[in-house]
Amino acid sequence: MRPAHLLLAVLVAAVWGVNFTVIEIGLGHFPPLLFSALRFLVAALPAVFLVGRPKVAWKWVVAVGLVLGVAKFGLLFVGMDAGMPAGLSSLVLQIQSVFTAGIAFAFLGERPTRVRLLGMAVALAGIGVAAADEGTSGPLGAFALVIAAAACWGASNVLTRRASPPDALNFMVWVSTVPVLPLLALSLLTEGPSRDLAALRALDWQVAGTVVYVAWVATVFGFGAWGWLLHRHPASTVAPFSLLVPVFGMTSAAVFLDETVSGLRWCAAALLVGGVALTSLSPTRGRRSAAGDTPSSAEPTPAPAAPARLEPAPAVHDPAPAHGAG
């Protein structure tokens, strides 16, 4: 990889990691579901008029939009609003790789190797340590919501793999159009129109900046740059950079939000990142179909999702937390 490409990969990981801190700041002003809806609205407009028509069937755009946009990011934003720290969220979401491998095995017949199974066990141990740490300092309910968001991210990864979009940016922009109305409806029902209107009326340039960052920087730039790298380098070369997302996430949260990182949390980080590395980078034994398809291998997945979240998805097809990410 050229030095410029290497720097771009690190920059995307940093953008997705910092995204969790920006989400935390935005949640200080917006109700979580409204904030998530605005994120997708701004990500979709005006980009949807510039990227051309979707290059995959509408059923995949709608399916990924609902699972990734509504379920994954809705749960993530609500979980963070309920007290899940930004840095820990960026770390815990990495368990999506374990959910992705499990769902791919159940529905795509992608059998994990022993190395991948070991990685899943190590990552789950990291989640256990993180849960023990959070249980002494924060709400476990919020922690569970972020775990559920990671599971939805894993499901969206598998859906994206089935969709096989040839253009990651085009796909993400069209996917971003799907969650807007469902999230707005959920916000009106659960957060209330008066709270939503109050947040919108009190909008200033700093708050608007959080929406622009999570929409255009973390989503449009992040996904576009990641997809550009994947078109020029093997997934196994690009995907490991996604492991930097929780490093930037925890660091930015410590610097800008004064979040403390306990010894247990560092231990959880080491286990999770190590487990995700084994899970993501080891090959998968694919199952040959009756039609004689060649075996497929599960691609490494960064943390778009996300949601972003902003959170990242399978590296070949759906690169973002990363969320981005978040």
Side-chain angles (χ1 to χ4, degrees):
M1 184 180 286
R2 298 176 183 177
H5 295 186
L6 187 150
L7 289 175
L8 180 61
V10 174
L11 175 61
V12 174
V15 163
W16 282 337
V18 173
N19 191 45
F20 288 88
T21 295
V22 177
I23 290 171
E24 185 75 24
I25 295 171
L27 288 172
H29 178 85
F30 292 109
L33 295 176
L34 175 64
F35 189 23
S36 188
L38 291 174
R39 173 255 181 92
F40 285 109
L41 177 64
V42 175
L45 297 175
V48 72
F49 299 109
L50 306 174
V51 297
R53 294 178 60 82
K55 295 178 171 58
V56 299
W58 277 105
K59 65 179 181 180
W60 299 118
V61 174
V62 173
V64 175
L66 292 176
V67 176
L68 179 69
V70 179
K72 184 260 183 177
F73 282 106
L75 289 166
L76 172 64
F77 279 43
V78 171
M80 291 181 65
D81 186 63
M84 185 69 169
L88 185 59
S89 296
S90 72
L91 176 65
V92 169
L93 271 182
Q94 300 304 313
I95 199 66
Q96 58 85 16
S97 66
V98 174
F99 286 113
T100 301
I103 296 170
F105 169 70
F107 292 97
L108 302 182
E110 295 180 350
R111 293 170 293 171
T113 62
R114 291 181 179 178
V115 173
R116 175 161 287 187
L117 289 172
L118 174 62
M120 293 167 67
V122 172
L124 288 172
I127 287 295
V129 173
D133 179 55
E134 185 65 8
T136 62
S137 59
L140 280 176
F143 186 93
L145 287 172
V146 176
I147 293 290
C152 293
W153 193 1
S156 73
N157 289 343
V158 175
L159 288 170
T160 302
R161 182 167 176 78
R162 291 294 303 272
S164 299
D167 185 335
L169 178 61
N170 171 281
F171 184 66
M172 189 60 201
V173 168
W174 280 103
V175 162
S176 296
T177 66
V178 176
V180 177
L181 292 180
L183 285 169
L184 283 175
L186 287 171
S187 178
L188 290 172
L189 287 172
T190 62
E191 295 164 348
S194 59
R195 186 181 176 193
D196 288 352
L197 287 174
L200 292 173
R201 286 171 179 164
L203 193 67
D204 58 29
W205 68 269
Q206 290 180 321
V207 175
T210 64
V211 178
V212 170
Y213 185 95
V214 299
W216 289 350
V217 181
T219 303
V220 177
F221 166 75
F223 273 89
W226 195 262
W228 185 87
L229 288 168
L230 288 167
H231 276 295
R232 287 157 178 80
H233 302 281
S236 58
T237 300
V238 179
F241 288 93
S242 69
L243 298 177
L244 295 174
V245 171
V247 175
F248 286 111
M250 295 175 70
T251 302
S252 63
V255 171
F256 296 107
L257 302 177
D258 294 324
E259 287 187 8
T260 58
V261 184
S262 65
L264 272 179
R265 194 163 296 180
W266 281 120
C267 179
L271 288 170
L272 261 170
V273 171
V276 167
L278 289 172
T279 302
S280 299
L281 303 182
S282 63
T284 302
R285 296 188 297 270
R287 180 179 64 189
R288 187 178 297 274
S289 71
D293 295 334
T294 56
S296 59
S297 60
E299 301 297 343
T301 60
R309 35 197 85 147
L310 264 4
E311 332 47 41
V316 168
H317 304 308
D318 184 12
H323 261 151

